[in-house]
Amino acid sequence: MPCRVGVLVSGRGSNLQAIIDKSKSREIDAEVVVVLSDDPEAYALQIAKKAGIKAYYIDPETAKPVLVGKAEDNYIDTLKKHKVDLVCLAGFMRIVKEKLISEFEWKIMNIHPALLPSFKGLHAQKKALDYGVRFAGATVHFVTTDVDGGPIILQAVVPVYQDDTEESLSKRILKEEHRIYPEAIDLFSGNRIKIKDNKVLIEGNNGE
Ligand code: GRF
């Protein structure tokens, strides 16, 4: 049985598209069963609908970038109603809080466009450029109450060039995001991810 995935989005949905494509082509053992957005205009909702996936705007009921209260309950209820095994944040622009996290303990992933723990928060690619790092990248991690600080599942590294702009670096990183997010979902689906001492161990990966 493919892993039932619920995806939370706010914007253009390119990671969602990558996950849908690799699920449908059976490159990964997953099925996106529901997509939830805090923005009714998010292009990601259209991507989901075009793919025949249930997609809903759920009012976040606050202008603050968090998911709390009645709105948080609505997200939890909808994810449960669709019997999701895994929740993937894919460009979801809100901080998720204790309640959702404990309802889906070790079952929520996020993708961040930096090599965590460097450059947490918004505008990670710009922060990397401004700092002058030689390598940047993307990280898929479990979501805990420590924002962008949960155990790391997969990372991908890209070079940073001297003439890079925020746009060119973001594009190079995004290509890797589209590769490692589906891969992390497939590892989860295959029950190959264990957590020990707050670190992720991947079964069958002995450092090669
Ligand atoms: C990605 O860069 C992701 O790493 C970050 O938000 C962006 C979402 O892009 N969390 P998309 O909506 O998946 O195209």
Side-chain angles (χ1 to χ4, degrees), residues 75-141:
Y75 276 78
I76 293 169
D77 291 348
T78 310
L79 291 165
K80 285 192 160 172
K81 196 173 130 201
H82 289 83
K83 299 188 168 41
V84 307
D85 303 309
L86 176 68
V87 179
C88 290
L89 310 185
F92 188 60
M93 300 302 285
R94 284 172 191 273
I95 294 173
V96 294
K97 297 292 204 178
E98 292 82 1
K99 191 162 183 192
L100 181 93
I101 292 171
S102 58
E103 289 282 354
F104 296 95
E105 203 184 7
W106 301 122
K107 291 179 180 168
I108 309 177
M109 291 181 184
N110 181 42
I111 182 125
H112 185 74
L115 293 172
L116 289 172
S118 293
F119 312 124
K120 294 178 178 180
L122 296 175
H123 311 298
Q125 303 95 329
K126 180 168 189 310
K127 287 175 187 165
L129 272 184
D130 289 349
Y131 197 93
V133 292
R134 299 295 185 217
F135 294 93
T139 304
V140 182
H141 63 92

Side-chain angles (χ1 to χ4, degrees), residues 18 20-30 182-183 186:
I20 292 173
D21 289 348
K22 293 197 176 175
S23 306
K24 291 205 179 234
S25 66
R26 290 265 149 268
E27 280 169 79
I28 65 172
D29 192 24
E183 194 179 327
D186 195 52

